[in-house]
Amino acid sequence: MDQPRCGVRPLTAPTVDLHLHSTASDGSLPPAEVVRRAAAANLTAIALTDHDSVAGVTEAVVTAADLGLRVVSGCEFSVAAPWGEMHVLGYFIPLGHAGVEEFLERCRADRLRRAREIVEGLQAWGVDITADEILAEANGAAIGRPHVARVLVRRGTVPTMDEAFQQFLGRGRPAFVEKVLPTFKEVANLVHGVGGIVSAAHLRERASRSLLIRLKDEGLDAVETRHPSHSPDHRSRITDIALSLNLLRTGGSDWHGGGGADNSHSSVGSEMVPLEWLDAMDTFRAGLISP
Ligand code: AMP
Ligand code: MN
Ligand code: MN
Ligand code: MN
């Protein structure tokens, strides 16, 4: 019974990917294509977690319905941290919510201000580039440094996106410009206010017990343990802290489309996150909503 037959792929446990980007922010594939690739990778569910936007979610949900795949509405926020910037994943973000849209619109407007300043910084460094080129590359998405990096690669200024970050765009480099960052608490309150779940993304070596205790006090529900940037040591340490603090676990590939995986981004489904983690998030939410 239920033994895999010779030549038939053995049944594997259902897996999900809770960290994915599309052209709604700095990903290179449209939401529908992200969903098709997720279905082709045999995933049961995904969360679309674009930076400062849920604009891709409707397209993803519509495409996924025909493929038997579940899409969770997510968003990756940037917040202030003692070391500069921290990323926060919000899950179960309702679409068309006025308060959420107002908040995200402010974040995207600040990204636009920053993109223009980045271009000025590059020009001051002698790089031949215009704001219009970057805006065209972003095509209305939540604009970020990857849009700038792609233009720099296309123009031949640098050979790779990584080089664009190393030479110009990374923290401490000549064209780096800080975002105006909300506090963690502001974002946690926003997400909780609409019934969502808050997870701390890719903390790597920053994930100390004391940091997570402080964040939990301020509304943290979960922590991303499985992420391409996490070493085996990060994974086991963060998992231990999460379990001891009774935090949920999340994980995902942080795929931005294409094949150009680096140390921080891999391909859809690669983190093999069990469906049980999403089930636990559903159960947790149900407990918050019903009395
Ligand atoms: P921003 O949202 O404008 O601060 O840009 C950060 C984004 O840049 C991250 O979400 C990644 O998608 C991307 N990124 C960061 N470092 C690199 C790198 N070295 N190579 C390619 N993409 C990167
Ligand atoms: Mn990104
Ligand atoms: Mn991130
Ligand atoms: Mn991400």
Side-chain angles (χ1 to χ4, degrees), residues 23-110:
T23 47
S25 66
D26 58 6
S28 57
L29 296 176
E33 190 55 26
V34 173
V35 165
R36 283 193 282 270
R37 304 287 187 98
N42 285 320
L43 296 183
T44 301
I46 62 165
L48 191 66
T49 54
D50 274 302
H51 301 280
D52 297 332
S53 177
V54 287
V57 172
T58 301
E59 179 182 314
V61 168
V62 168
T63 309
D66 291 337
L67 296 167
L69 181 83
R70 176 178 176 198
V71 172
V72 172
S73 172
C75 184
E76 184 169 13
F77 299 87
S78 304
V79 305
W83 57 88
E85 181 177 327
M86 184 179 113
H87 288 181
V88 172
L89 295 160
Y91 293 106
F92 309 105
I93 308 292
L95 304 180
H97 184 282
V100 170
E101 277 312 317
E102 195 184 304
F103 182 91
L104 294 178
E105 188 48 57
R106 251 187 291 135
C107 295
R108 292 192 295 262
D110 183 61

Side-chain angles (χ1 to χ4, degrees), residues 19 21 49 51 76 202 254 256:
H19 192 156
H21 295 270
T49 54
H51 301 280
E76 184 169 13
H202 49 67
D254 209 353
H256 281 63

Side-chain angles (χ1 to χ4, degrees), residues 45-252:
I46 62 165
L48 191 66
T49 54
D50 274 302
H51 301 280
D52 297 332
S53 177
V54 287
V57 172
T58 301
E59 179 182 314
V61 168
V62 168
T63 309
D66 291 337
L67 296 167
L69 181 83
R70 176 178 176 198
V71 172
V72 172
S73 172
C75 184
E76 184 169 13
F77 299 87
S78 304
V79 305
W83 57 88
E85 181 177 327
M86 184 179 113
H87 288 181
V88 172
L89 295 160
Y91 293 106
F92 309 105
I93 308 292
L95 304 180
H97 184 282
V100 170
E101 277 312 317
E102 195 184 304
F103 182 91
L104 294 178
E105 188 48 57
R106 251 187 291 135
C107 295
R108 292 192 295 262
D110 183 61
R111 281 177 170 276
L112 194 55
R113 181 272 312 166
R114 170 176 174 252
R116 292 184 190 283
E117 287 185 27
I118 290 174
V119 168
E120 284 167 19
L122 288 168
Q123 288 169 342
W125 209 253
V127 178
D128 183 19
I129 194 168
T130 64
D132 283 351
E133 283 174 275
I134 313 301
L135 296 187
E137 178 66 28
N139 194 24
I143 196 164
R145 287 175 288 169
H147 298 110
V148 183
R150 281 182 204 137
V151 172
L152 291 173
V153 171
R154 197 181 314 128
R155 278 181 150 277
T157 311
V158 288
T160 61
M161 296 216 0
D162 196 44
E163 195 61 32
F165 277 84
Q166 300 279 343
Q167 275 195 39
F168 297 112
L169 305 173
R171 185 169 289 274
R173 308 312 300 157
F176 177 78
V177 180
E178 189 74 82
K179 299 179 192 117
V180 174
L181 294 167
T183 63
F184 172 79
K185 205 169 180 176
E186 271 177 84
V187 166
N189 288 344
L190 179 82
V191 173
H192 286 156
V194 294
I197 285 182
V198 177
S199 182
H202 49 67
L203 282 171
R204 302 192 302 272
E205 69 285 351
R206 314 272 194 200
S208 68
R209 197 179 159 79
S210 59
L211 173 76
L212 287 166
I213 288 173
R214 183 172 70 70
L215 293 177
K216 194 181 175 191
D217 266 359
E218 295 183 350
L220 189 72
D221 306 304
V223 59
E224 189 173 55
T225 56
R226 295 191 186 174
H227 184 270
S229 69
H230 285 176
S231 68
D233 181 58
H234 293 141
R235 288 164 199 252
S236 66
R237 215 165 35 79
I238 302 173
T239 301
D240 286 349
I241 301 173
L243 295 178
S244 73
L245 295 181
N246 211 10
L247 290 164
L248 295 162
R249 288 174 286 171
T250 70

